[in-house]
Amino acid sequence: MPLTKAEWLKLEEKANELRHLTLDTAHWCGSGHMGGGLSVLDLLTVLYYKYLNIDVQNPQWPERDRFILSKGHAAIAYAPVLCDKGFNDKEMLKTFNLTNSKMGMHLDSNKIVGVDASTGSLGHGLSIAVGTALAARVLGKKYITYCVMGDGELDEGSNWEAAMSAAHYKLTNLVAFTDRNHCMIDGPTEDVMKLEPLADKWAAFGFEVRVIDGNNIKQLCDAIDEALANNENGGEKPFMIIMDTVKGCGIDYMEGDYKWHYGSIDEDGYKKGCASLDKTYEMRVARVNKEAE
């Protein structure tokens, strides 16, 4: 279903709230993986506030859609989403990654409600997603599995083993995403280990591939709609959405800087970050008013 202007504006408002809550969380705990958290936050917003078939009151509902955050260090953004949705108490964010907190730097599915898989060691998420997608087929379930990977994570060979399996079993009920923010902990991805031509690689492994602006909510929705139609209409290939994103999206002094893969937030950085997020929101609302039908 096409994204309406009202729905687009509502999602932009929610994404802005979550960006601020992510910055708040990093400020409370003193540091965090802000770069990759902010680059993927538009996707988290779109999935949790438009697409995921989930029940906050019944988090283990067997028919629910599954979400695997393979780039588990983006929990600094994922935890605020799970709290805002009502799975967990927002007060927990004030102790994120602090001693004795249930909310660690990588979220533990045994401690945090709403997390379908504990992730942290990169390269495992797509393999888990292949398993849940296969389970749905065996059990006759209609749920969709969504999995998001980091681009630096694709240096791990286990991703490509999982990709072969997904294509072999024609898992159209799997929708995968690559957060292509072009940076990893040690520097630009193309300096550390070249990934391009990335779309061609996923296509060669048997995926239907789309490359989009991953910080554009309308493009995200259009791509997910296409992926779901691929599953519903008898497609034979799993779907990969490569999201071209900006590391640290929304906070100007972080944007595009691999050094903000992980960083500390002092009072000055927090205030500057809040001001930058407010400007970003204004620009994005203006874009909706210009581009929406």
Side-chain angles (χ1 to χ4, degrees), residues 163-181:
M164 286 192 292
S165 297
H168 176 79
Y169 291 108
K170 300 180 180 179
L171 297 180
T172 59
N173 60 345
L174 167 63
V175 182
F177 303 84
T178 297
D179 183 18
R180 186 73 171 110
N181 61 32

Side-chain angles (χ1 to χ4, degrees), residues 16-246:
N16 178 56
E17 291 175 7
L18 292 169
R19 281 190 287 268
H20 274 282
L21 190 53
T22 296
L23 180 60
D24 288 344
T25 302
H27 187 223
W28 289 325
C29 71
S31 61
H33 290 91
M34 291 293 291
L38 289 171
S39 64
V40 80
L41 192 47
D42 289 303
L43 173 65
L44 295 177
T45 303
V46 165
L47 287 179
Y48 275 86
Y49 295 85
K50 179 172 171 62
Y51 287 99
L52 285 178
N53 185 23
I54 52 179
D55 184 352
V56 174
Q57 302 305 317
N58 185 13
Q60 294 300 316
W61 179 41
E63 308 297 328
R64 75 189 185 282
D65 288 339
R66 271 58 167 180
F67 174 70
I68 312 295
L69 181 67
S70 189
K71 49 174 289 180
H73 54 283
I76 192 75
Y78 188 29
V81 172
L82 292 174
C83 290
D84 187 72
K85 282 293 292 186
F87 284 109
N88 301 274
D89 188 342
K90 282 188 179 181
E91 287 296 307
M92 295 173 68
L93 296 174
K94 294 180 179 179
T95 64
F96 183 89
N97 200 40
L98 300 182
T99 302
N100 297 322
S101 174
K102 289 185 177 181
M103 281 194 167
M105 189 180 298
H106 300 80
L107 299 185
D108 186 334
S109 62
N110 293 313
K111 297 178 180 178
I112 304 302
V113 182
V115 177
D116 284 317
S118 302
T119 57
S121 296
L122 295 172
H124 293 178
L126 188 59
S127 297
I128 298 171
V130 167
T132 60
L134 277 171
R137 178 178 295 173
V138 170
L139 296 171
K141 303 290 186 182
K142 298 296 185 182
Y143 69 77
I144 301 295
T145 293
Y146 298 88
C147 177
V148 58
M149 295 160 279
D151 50 4
E153 177 181 1
L154 297 183
D155 292 354
E156 299 288 347
S158 51
N159 290 295
W160 303 103
E161 295 176 17
M164 286 192 292
S165 297
H168 176 79
Y169 291 108
K170 300 180 180 179
L171 297 180
T172 59
N173 60 345
L174 167 63
V175 182
F177 303 84
T178 297
D179 183 18
R180 186 73 171 110
N181 61 32
H182 305 273
C183 295
M184 53 195 298
I185 190 170
D186 294 322
T189 56
E190 298 310 284
D191 291 346
V192 177
M193 182 67 70
K194 292 185 185 301
L195 291 172
E196 297 299 339
L198 186 57
D200 292 344
K201 288 175 181 174
W202 282 107
F205 271 77
F207 278 66
E208 192 71 37
V209 182
R210 297 293 181 271
V211 181
I212 65 167
D213 177 352
N215 296 128
N216 183 309
I217 283 175
K218 185 178 187 304
Q219 289 191 29
L220 282 166
C221 292
D222 288 346
I224 295 170
D225 285 342
E226 190 174 359
L228 295 176
N230 174 66
N231 178 55
E232 294 168 1
N233 298 331
E236 295 192 344
K237 296 181 179 180
F239 221 90
M240 167 54 68
I241 300 171
I242 299 176
M243 308 183 301
D244 190 14
T245 62
V246 176

